[in-house]
Amino acid sequence: QVPLVESGGGLVQAGGSLRVSCTASGRTFPTYSMGWFRRAPGKEREFVAAISRSGGSSYYADSVKGRFTISRDNAKNTLYLQMSSLKSEDTAVYYCAGSTGYGGTTERDFNSWGQGTQVTVSS
């Protein structure tokens, strides 16, 4: 497993922006496909976004397209999720995940998980 640690969560007002980060230990981060998932109150954990190893390809859930941007800085071993135009329904614990393979859009496609960071959007 590659240790993953999320940070940057907090409370923001609807319509605002927030960036959460995920930092990995070790020197193999550039070989991992990465993704973001979230679990809202009373709901199952769902896919949010994913990014290829080089950062050249990104994929988003329909619910966040046009509002969220996933990116990575391999030199810093860090994954980012920039969130804008936040809605109350975005309130959730956000998890980063890593894959030693091609990645994907489901939990089973990822091998390593962080502990999550809470994002709360107030109306």
Side-chain angles (χ1 to χ4, degrees), residues 15-80:
S17 299
L18 190 69
R19 187 180 73 168
V20 292
S21 302
C22 173
T23 300
S25 299
R27 64 180 186 275
T28 59
F29 178 78
T31 71
Y32 283 73
S33 297
M34 300 295 296
W36 286 100
F37 291 76
R38 68 186 182 186
R39 182 174 60 81
K43 298 180 64 178
E44 300 291 329
R45 188 154 61 182
E46 65 176 354
F47 169 77
V48 176
I51 191 168
S52 61
R53 289 172 289 179
S54 67
S57 299
S58 302
Y59 308 90
Y60 298 92
D62 289 341
S63 60
V64 305
K65 285 182 179 177
R67 299 189 299 118
F68 290 13
T69 301
I70 188 171
S71 63
R72 66 191 297 165
D73 186 338
N74 285 345
K76 296 181 178 180
N77 278 14
T78 302
L79 174 75
Y80 303 98

